[in-house]
Amino acid sequence: MLSVLIIGGIAASVAIGYKTSYNTGFFAIVFAYLIGCFGLGMSTKEVIGGWPISTMFVIFSVSLFYNFALVNGTLEKTARYLLYACRKFPGLLPFALYLASAGIAALGAGFFTVMAFMAPVTLLICKEAKMDKLTGAVAINCGALSGANFMTSGSGIIFRGLIEEAGLPDQSFSYSAIIFAASVIFSLLLIAAFRYLPKSNRAIGKEMTFEKPEAFTHQQKINLYLMIAMIITVLVFPILHIILPDVSWIGFVNSKLDVGLVAVLFSVIALFFHLAPQKEVIAKVPWNTIIMICGVGMLINVAIKAGTLDMLAAWAGSSLPSWFVPIAFSVIGAIMSFFSSTLGVVCPALYPLVPTLAEASGISPLVLFTCIVIGAQSSAISPFSSGGSLVLGSCSTEEERNEMFPRLLFLAVPASVGASTVFNLILSFLL
């Protein structure tokens, strides 16, 4: 009975959050309190203890550092240079938009920031380049998603944290790297389909002029060097430790590296270089995302205490054919993400199921983690989800918005979800 209440609480949190446009995390916290304290008999301290402090700290600290580049224009200028690099190959413009979005997201801007910046620019570029706007929307959505999946960027860091919380700390880096690689491959295949199948894209870029962006300012150059230095710092030692696991000093340094603490260190350096006003940088920390992820995390912790996750994993492991389990999780992730956030709802809800389900079904946890992400992110272009809503919000006229809405809902979403299901089926046999 309690498990049914918890599952209902998760569903109700998502539904109420969608209906009211209020943060899903608030409702998840309320359900965690009511079910945990009055249903399970947990103490209030136990319920509050379910707040994932380490996940919150990492999101806060990493976004804090990359907000310097957002505020002083380093990320925007980087995007324009990436687009300018495509001037000799206008037919590859969708892939240039993808690389621009993925590059900025991988540098740490995060999905929402990239979409908010790239969507208005992309719709204008599509008009000038005679490119189908849906193709441009899919390109930047895929870029923002897969780029953010990079191991040191926002989504990648969250995936690593959730994998560690699921009981696989030693595999978190390598698993997140494979998730990133899989999302890039899937994105490029999907963009290629949207680029080459529609007849409307045959004249892309024929009359477009590419203007060279202004040079980076002194501040922006320093910020760019700091971002590169941070990426190298948090990537080198985990990679070296995988290659040279028996070298003790590499293992020691790697054990002392934490991406959140490193980000704070680089943020302090950025402050002393006066790269952006502190007030503006702090104001851009994604508090809504933090509340959503941590609030759902509290409810998931109650579910763990009640044995709900073990029950669901046992049911899936015994009731579904092994080959179908990854596909089921892919489709479930896509359905959940249609209305809600992959990072705030889908992954925190499904990732804790993976270890038990993997053991029960004999499937590699890596396959399930990857299928959840690819499936969930495939429906992010939905007009009811974050990606699609940002595209609609960037339309310049109501007429353009009315035209884009059904194309996102009835063309982009089914094509993307269908492609992700096939991709995940193939992936489950390869990994």
Side-chain angles (χ1 to χ4, degrees), residues 4 11 57 59-60 68 91 170 221 259 283 344 354 385 423:
V4 174
F57 178 73
I59 299 171
F60 161 75
F68 285 91
D170 295 335
K221 285 180 180 178
V259 67
V354 169
S385 194
F423 181 83

Side-chain angles (χ1 to χ4, degrees), residues 245-311:
D246 297 326
V247 180
S248 58
W249 71 269
I250 293 177
F252 173 77
V253 175
N254 183 56
S255 69
K256 301 300 180 185
L257 276 180
D258 178 86
V259 67
L261 293 173
V262 172
V264 173
L265 172 63
F266 276 87
S267 296
V268 171
I269 296 172
L271 282 172
F272 279 107
F273 274 110
H274 305 289
L275 298 186
Q278 173 184 286
K279 187 175 181 179
E280 292 183 42
V281 170
I282 294 175
K284 289 186 177 295
V285 170
W287 296 112
N288 276 333
T289 301
I290 289 173
I291 292 170
M292 187 184 298
I293 290 172
C294 295
V296 173
M298 287 179 67
L299 186 51
I300 294 301
N301 183 62
V302 172
I304 292 171
K305 297 282 187 183
T308 304
L309 301 186
D310 290 336
M311 181 194 72

Side-chain angles (χ1 to χ4, degrees), residues 175-190:
Y175 278 13
S176 63
I178 293 173
I179 291 171
F180 166 68
S183 66
V184 169
I185 295 169
F186 170 72
S187 296
L188 292 174
L189 292 173
L190 185 65

